[in-house]
Amino acid sequence: MPIPELSQLEQILHKHRHKVRTSCLAEIGHQNHRFPILGVELGSQQLHAPTVIFVGGVHGVERIGSQVVIAFLSCLLERLEWDEHFQRLFDKVRVAFLPLLNPVGFYQNSRANGNGVDLMRNGQVDAVCNVTPLVGGHRISPVLPWYRGKHGLELESQVLIDFVSDLITRSRVTLSLDAHSGFGLKDYLWFPYAGNVAPFPGLAQMFRLMQLFDTTYPYHAHYQAAPQSHFYTTHGDLWDHLIKGHKKATFLPLTLEMGSWLWVKKNPKQLFNFAGFFNPQKRHRQERILRRHTVMMNFLIQAAYSAEQWLPGEQAKMDYHAQAMQLWYQKVKR
Ligand SMILES: [Zn+2]
């Protein structure tokens, strides 16, 4: 049985094959199948061009994250057909996609990959604070959720790390958005760390980026931006892993956590359907989610392109850092 999201992605990439650079980053074998992990690049091929990366499908059961990323990719490709302004923008900015990182998880409708490993706990980095029990990642057994794996990176994790690392080294500024669902009643934008209650090196720039979004789009302020450690702490977060490897780079990774509990509240029957915790079950609601994040995703591309306009210099950085500390690190719970 095919994976509908993967088939849709392949169709879109085929339709626009003259505009995209697609690579099969790995093939994951499972039972009698082999599933590709596809990486996509569009726009500038210049060294040091600013870059935005959109990632989806890290957790197989959170299908909506992958659907949001694929819908946005399709929207950009359609727009590149006719929008001259947009074509010029893409001469200067690179946009990369890893729309479905965990195909076996999609195939078997599980959070983990085919080995029972939660990829977002599989980074080779241990938390330096107390972690949320179980949810924070463990090595007890793949039968329990949030399993980190015995040792080493799973192939899917390695693919994400290699793909993002390569882009960081080719770009003067890298923004990323990794789309998930299944936490809370509202939409969150989380940034590192997941495994440390201290601020990450890009805190001042992240504060500035979030401030820019809020002041530019005050009627899209349905996101709550905060360090992930404010909600729960984990070992092995892949974005923590990447930050550790690229401390000097201007690299600002965001995780979009779509507030799916609200969909359950609006449609309580979803409680009897496991997928319902993570995905809208009604067509009109799914369509609403697919358009809900396009303003923010477009904003990230514009912000990367215009990074010199808003990235703070040394003096302003200290000022933004102080404001960010005031906002996010006044009362650390742990
Ligand atoms: Zn997730």
Side-chain angles (χ1 to χ4, degrees):
M1 201 178 59
I3 299 168
E5 289 83 355
L6 190 56
S7 309
Q8 193 201 1
L9 174 64
E10 284 169 337
Q11 269 172 27
I12 292 165
L13 293 173
H14 182 72
K15 179 178 175 192
H16 297 276
R17 59 195 174 279
H18 55 288
K19 288 203 286 302
V20 294
R21 306 185 288 281
T22 302
S23 20
C24 178
L25 304 170
E27 273 194 324
I28 310 284
H30 179 73
Q31 297 167 352
N32 297 323
H33 304 279
R34 297 195 71 75
F35 298 110
I37 303 180
L38 300 176
V40 181
E41 260 190 64
L42 27 150
S44 175
Q45 300 195 55
Q46 299 280 316
L47 188 64
H48 306 312
T51 299
V52 187
I53 309 168
F54 295 99
V55 175
V58 171
H59 292 135
V61 77
E62 301 167 19
R63 308 189 89 92
I64 188 69
S66 192
Q67 291 164 10
V68 162
V69 169
I70 293 168
F72 186 63
L73 169 63
S74 170
C75 169
L76 294 187
L77 289 169
E78 290 298 332
R79 204 167 155 189
L80 278 169
E81 291 281 338
W82 57 268
D83 186 334
E84 210 179 314
H85 168 69
F86 217 59
Q87 291 160 355
R88 293 221 192 95
L89 172 71
F90 273 66
D91 285 342
K92 295 280 161 58
V93 71
R94 177 170 29 239
V95 184
F97 288 83
L98 198 47
L100 211 165
L101 183 70
N102 180 8
V104 176
F106 273 64
Y107 178 74
Q108 57 189 20
N109 226 345
S110 67
R111 177 180 170 94
N113 74 353
N115 299 327
V117 176
D118 184 333
L119 301 175
M120 218 16 101
R121 306 290 181 272
N122 181 234
Q124 300 302 294
V125 52
D126 288 335
V128 295
C129 57
N130 291 330
V131 300
T132 313
L134 219 59
V135 175
H138 62 83
R139 297 198 197 274
I140 305 166
S141 158
V143 174
L144 296 171
W146 307 294
Y147 178 61
R148 298 178 66 187
K150 270 272 170 289
H151 46 71
L153 284 170
E154 294 293 300
L155 182 53
E156 297 90 336
S157 310
Q158 189 71 59
V159 163
L160 176 105
I161 284 166
D162 291 349
F163 185 74
V164 175
S165 293
D166 170 54
L167 287 160
I168 292 172
T169 54
R170 285 193 279 138
S171 315
R172 64 177 174 274
V173 49
T174 309
L175 310 181
S176 66
L177 185 80
D178 176 18
H180 291 248
S181 63
F183 183 89
L185 288 170
K186 58 167 112 169
D187 295 324
Y188 294 94
L189 287 172
W190 289 345
F191 53 84
Y193 289 116
N196 190 341
V197 291
F200 88 111
L203 184 73
Q205 292 100 319
M206 185 60 86
F207 176 85
R208 180 67 183 127
L209 180 68
M210 293 295 101
Q211 185 186 53
L212 213 60
F213 182 73
D214 282 350
T215 49
T216 311
Y217 295 103
Y219 308 112
H220 283 268
H222 52 83
Y223 301 100
Q224 185 185 337
Q228 189 192 321
S229 60
H230 280 202
F231 300 91
Y232 56 88
T233 47
T234 74
H235 293 298
D237 183 279
L238 292 171
W239 301 104
D240 282 14
H241 180 123
L242 279 156
I243 289 282
K244 199 175 164 193
H246 299 278
K247 281 206 171 110
K248 294 230 167 79
T250 305
F251 169 45
L252 303 177
L254 287 164
T255 295
L256 168 64
E257 273 288 344
M258 290 177 267
S260 58
W261 297 352
L262 193 65
W263 312 331
V264 177
K265 207 166 103 180
K266 283 188 178 164
N267 182 15
K269 268 198 286 188
Q270 284 191 26
L271 284 171
F272 301 102
N273 169 356
F274 181 62
F277 274 109
F278 301 97
N279 305 289
Q281 298 296 293
K282 293 201 167 153
R283 184 70 200 166
H284 73 272
R285 203 159 283 140
Q286 185 203 16
E287 286 177 0
R288 196 180 305 151
I289 304 304
L290 294 183
R291 63 180 177 262
R292 185 175 170 85
H293 304 289
T294 48
V295 168
M296 184 265 298
M297 293 165 102
N298 273 310
F299 163 79
L300 292 177
I301 297 174
Q302 302 283 352
Y305 168 66
S306 306
E308 273 75 35
Q309 300 288 322
W310 58 269
L311 272 179
E314 282 314 306
Q315 187 57 42
K317 214 165 155 177
M318 283 160 66
D319 186 37
Y320 287 126
H321 185 81
Q323 289 184 57
M325 291 302 287
Q326 177 88 20
L327 178 63
W328 287 313
Y329 290 92
Q330 280 286 300
K331 350 171 234 206
V332 172
K333 288 170 211 147
R334 287 178 194 83

